[in-house]
């Protein structure tokens, strides 16, 4: 097991990464204040709910099983969590436990942020994507028909337990989708880690536990370091959105869930690398390495057929847009990203017009 | 005009109290980041919306008019604010302006807390209750069918403009309801202010501007002082709930809106004073002074007919309840409140059983 502390002053919390952590009562129970409500997505309930409840030991608890999928990430679902909490008279000395992927984590974290103006929550992410991304950083929230993650709160967990054993049952497509974010961390902040990923792609794709623990721990550490320096996303934290402005446009245009988040981000990372290359910020070798690693992970290197116009429309609606200018995260080399809106708009438009659509993502 | 700064470090903000502040472009415009959305309750739109928009000067803005009443304080209404923001492409560099009473302030503040994980907001409270209570302290939120203010966030405004000129048009019952909270501040923290209120009741009831500015400023200062010492409501801040645990039970039992919030709090304050007296913590004179001032303001000194059992049921569901014990704010004298769950349950039950219902509140 590797443990890492996200340093946020009074709101600091530990992340534990290892195999079999779901059995560890000593890791979970100490972080529960009062009673616990375990929120879990449907397909996982059968696999892990009983184990998570057992790890709660003597803590009084209930569980709530939500339907699966990005489609449930709505304000209405958050309200069903409130219904459950109030029906069972949970007071403000209660702790929510999110057991599942990013969707359950985002919903549960947001419910915890708002229930009686804030109760603690613990994350037990069971997907690779959630383990390396959604469970670190305190971002919680839900979608709105007009935009992804438009409603939410910053609310830090009391603890994160990333049990790599839960990744064994993950569907291949979902596993690869998580790898996209792992690749992102290397690209934006750690060239050595990117090289390690190039050398260990096969072990990761084979879900070797040791390789996974290292890759997840390194990803969390990179994210935690960036988040700790910029908790409320005023500056540098924005580099975590590498590939995401393009990616969100793909997800919005195709309808949430058609492309997996990580697939959209993978294509977005390749587009951002291509733009960085066109601007002369990333050399040809760097550009090729990005596309190569993404392709080896069986992730899309290009977006589906979307007109430049539609792309720009979605991108200008992005949270990071400022007064019409599209802010992008671009590469200055492998392991070095920067946030900018200072690039010729025509270079972006040209790139969007010249995209060759990827083969179907599914 | 009296100005007061709520000291909360990075989140400190000014409260300005005076007549005609709605005309003051110099007070409002500097606190708007980006574009502004002014949210206003229906009956007020005609009276003040054009003026508030004029005070925004050159700031690009839109307005959203909500239906009136406590009944709209729901998650659904918050969602209509999100709809409006997203339809008109407000990005995260936007500011919400709450123009109206506590309901609009609570809804708008909560929407600001959650929109794109937090945008700034400014409060322009137009009721006495909102000026002395809801606009100070950063509590935002909405009701749930199973409980009042169960969903919300702590989100501090960027500025509060309390224009006493807006109180001229306030319905008498609503005005008196606000006085209940003013009395509360004297009772819990400032015996001298309570005595000032006893001497100036007639001027206040006549809505004398100078008396109002002083009473509001003193109330805000007392609340701000308490909040500054305990922003997240872990300890002393709970004394602000004096009268509220009884009051919330009255509101829940009779249905929100049947009793005005201040009326329920007034009866609750008298009940808490009676309990303090029975416990030997408040002398007979003190108890009589509470009832006398409440009665002179034409506010109820007793609850409606509610069984002790129902009272206890509602009170044990209160946010302040801890593991079944009902935490109450009681008086140790005029101007000195303390939070306790250390009292004989039988004394509370006896009191609840012996209440004489007040004449109808309406």
């Amino acid at each position: 097991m590797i443990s890492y502390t996200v340093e946020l002053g009074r709101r600091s919390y530990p992340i534990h990464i290892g195999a079999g952590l779901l059995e560890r009562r000593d890791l979970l129970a100490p972080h529960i204040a009062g009673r616990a409500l375990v929120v879990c997505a449907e397909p996982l309930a059968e696999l892990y709910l009983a184990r998570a409840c057992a790890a709660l030991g003597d803590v009084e608890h209930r569980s709530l099983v939500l339907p699966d999928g990005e489609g449930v990430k709505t304000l209405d679902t958050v309200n069903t969590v409130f219904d459950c909490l109030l029906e069972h008279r949970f007071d403000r000395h209660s702790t929510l436990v999110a057991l599942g992927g990013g969707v359950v984590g985002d919903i549960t974290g947001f419910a915890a942020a708002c229930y009686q103006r804030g109760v603690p929550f613990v994350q037990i992410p069971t997907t690779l994507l959630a383990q390396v991304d959604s469970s670190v950083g305190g971002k919680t929230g839900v979608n709105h028909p007009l935009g992804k993650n438009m409603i939410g709160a910053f609310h830090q967990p009391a603890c994160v337990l990333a049990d790599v054993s839960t990744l064994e049952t993950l569907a291949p497509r979902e596993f690869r989708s998580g790898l996209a974010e792992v690749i992102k961390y290397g690209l934006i902040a750690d060239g050595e880690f990117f090289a390690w990923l190039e050398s260990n792609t096969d072990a990761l794709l084979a879900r070797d536990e040791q390789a996974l623990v290292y890759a997840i721990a390194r990803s969390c550490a990179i994210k935690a370091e960036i988040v700790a320096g910029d908790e409320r996303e005023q500056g540098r934290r924005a580099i975590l959105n590498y590939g995401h402005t393009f990616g969100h446009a793909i997800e919005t245009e195709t309808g949430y869930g058609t492309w997996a988040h990580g697939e959209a981000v993978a294509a977005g990372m390749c587009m951002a690398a291509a733009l960085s290359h066109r601007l002369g910020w990333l050399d040809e070798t760097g550009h090729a390495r990005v596309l190569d690693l993404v392709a080896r992970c069986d992730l899309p290197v290009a977006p589906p057929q979307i007109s430049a116009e539609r792309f720009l429309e979605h991108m200008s609606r992005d949270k990071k847009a400022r007064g019409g200018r599209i802010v992008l995260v671009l590469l200055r080399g492998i392991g070095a990203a920067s946030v900018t809106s200072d690039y010729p708009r025509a270079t972006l438009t040209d790139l969007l017009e010249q995209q060759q659509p990827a083969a179907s993502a599914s």
Side-chain angles (χ1 to χ4, degrees), chain A:
Chain A
M1 183 175 83
I2 299 182
S3 295
Y4 185 89
T5 301
V6 183
E7 298 290 354
L8 291 168
R10 274 195 315 126
R11 286 184 297 282
S12 298
Y13 63 90
I15 306 173
H16 304 295
I17 304 124
L21 302 191
L22 255 180
E23 325 289 337
R24 296 279 296 271
R25 196 176 294 195
D26 58 316
L27 294 178
L28 182 56
H31 292 284
I32 307 295
R35 297 162 67 203
L37 177 70
V38 184
V39 183
C40 177
E42 204 152 42
L44 286 168
E46 206 178 321
L47 290 167
Y48 305 120
L49 187 55
R51 274 200 262 172
C53 290
L56 284 168
D58 298 333
V59 173
E60 198 188 325
H61 63 270
R62 296 196 71 91
S63 60
L64 174 67
V65 178
L66 300 179
D68 193 33
E70 180 86 12
V72 303
K73 202 172 133 176
T74 64
L75 212 47
D76 276 347
T77 307
V78 176
N79 211 17
T80 64
V81 179
F82 296 144
D83 291 343
C84 176
L85 287 164
L86 284 163
E87 273 160 23
H88 298 101
R89 301 196 175 200
F90 278 83
D91 63 20
R92 62 169 70 172
H93 299 277
S94 305
T95 303
L96 269 57
V97 178
L99 174 67
V103 170
V104 161
D106 284 358
I107 292 169
T108 308
F110 185 48
C114 298
Y115 188 61
Q116 307 218 11
R117 298 198 190 90
V119 297
F121 82 116
V122 170
Q123 295 260 34
I124 308 182
T126 59
T127 65
L128 181 55
L129 178 59
Q131 290 182 352
V132 298
D133 180 38
S134 341
S135 63
V136 188
K139 280 192 182 181
T140 69
V142 295
N143 298 328
H144 182 281
L146 292 178
K148 210 170 142 69
N149 292 319
M150 283 291 157
I151 303 159
F154 285 94
H155 192 53
Q156 304 296 341
C159 171
V160 176
L161 298 184
D163 185 343
V164 297
S165 311
T166 62
L167 302 183
E168 284 167 25
T169 54
L170 207 59
R173 191 177 164 194
E174 215 177 338
F175 182 79
R176 292 195 309 266
S177 181
L179 280 182
E181 296 281 347
V182 174
I183 294 170
K184 184 193 76 178
Y185 293 114
L187 272 180
I188 60 172
D190 188 343
E192 255 178 65
F193 180 48
F194 187 85
W196 182 90
L197 290 171
E198 290 177 314
S199 310
N200 292 272
T201 314
D202 294 339
L204 287 170
L205 288 170
R207 305 194 195 183
D208 173 84
E209 268 183 8
Q210 229 179 327
L212 282 172
V213 170
Y214 178 76
I216 295 165
R218 192 70 208 110
S219 296
C220 288
I222 291 171
K223 179 161 188 186
E225 220 167 278
I226 294 169
V227 167
D230 181 19
E231 191 182 353
R232 305 288 297 204
E233 199 165 23
Q234 303 299 305
R236 182 169 149 78
R237 181 167 176 165
I239 66 166
L240 291 169
N241 293 309
Y242 180 73
H244 282 63
T245 303
F246 294 103
H248 285 165
I250 295 171
E251 286 184 281
T252 306
E253 177 69 21
T254 55
Y256 297 133
T258 309
W259 277 51
H261 176 68
E263 290 167 344
V265 167
M269 293 196 297
C270 292
M271 294 172 78
L275 185 58
S276 308
H277 177 52
R278 281 178 187 227
L279 292 167
W281 297 355
L282 178 69
D283 62 23
E284 180 54 46
T285 315
H287 181 204
R289 283 175 69 193
V290 177
L291 269 65
D292 182 56
L293 183 54
V294 167
R296 279 179 61 209
C297 292
D298 206 11
L299 285 162
V301 296
Q305 182 68 55
I306 300 175
S307 71
E309 202 179 24
R310 293 289 287 168
F311 245 119
L312 291 169
E313 197 183 323
H314 291 304
M315 290 168 79
S316 65
R317 198 177 283 190
D318 192 86
K319 284 203 291 296
K320 288 165 287 300
R322 296 197 184 195
R325 288 201 62 74
I326 298 169
V327 180
L328 289 174
V329 186
L330 297 175
L331 296 181
R332 299 278 181 176
I334 300 286
S338 67
V339 182
T340 183
S341 61
D342 189 19
Y343 55 84
R345 180 70 161 240
T347 315
L348 170 61
T349 310
D350 285 352
L351 176 84
L352 294 174
E353 280 168 356
Q354 291 159 26
Q355 285 300 312
Q356 295 300 319
S360 166
S362 49

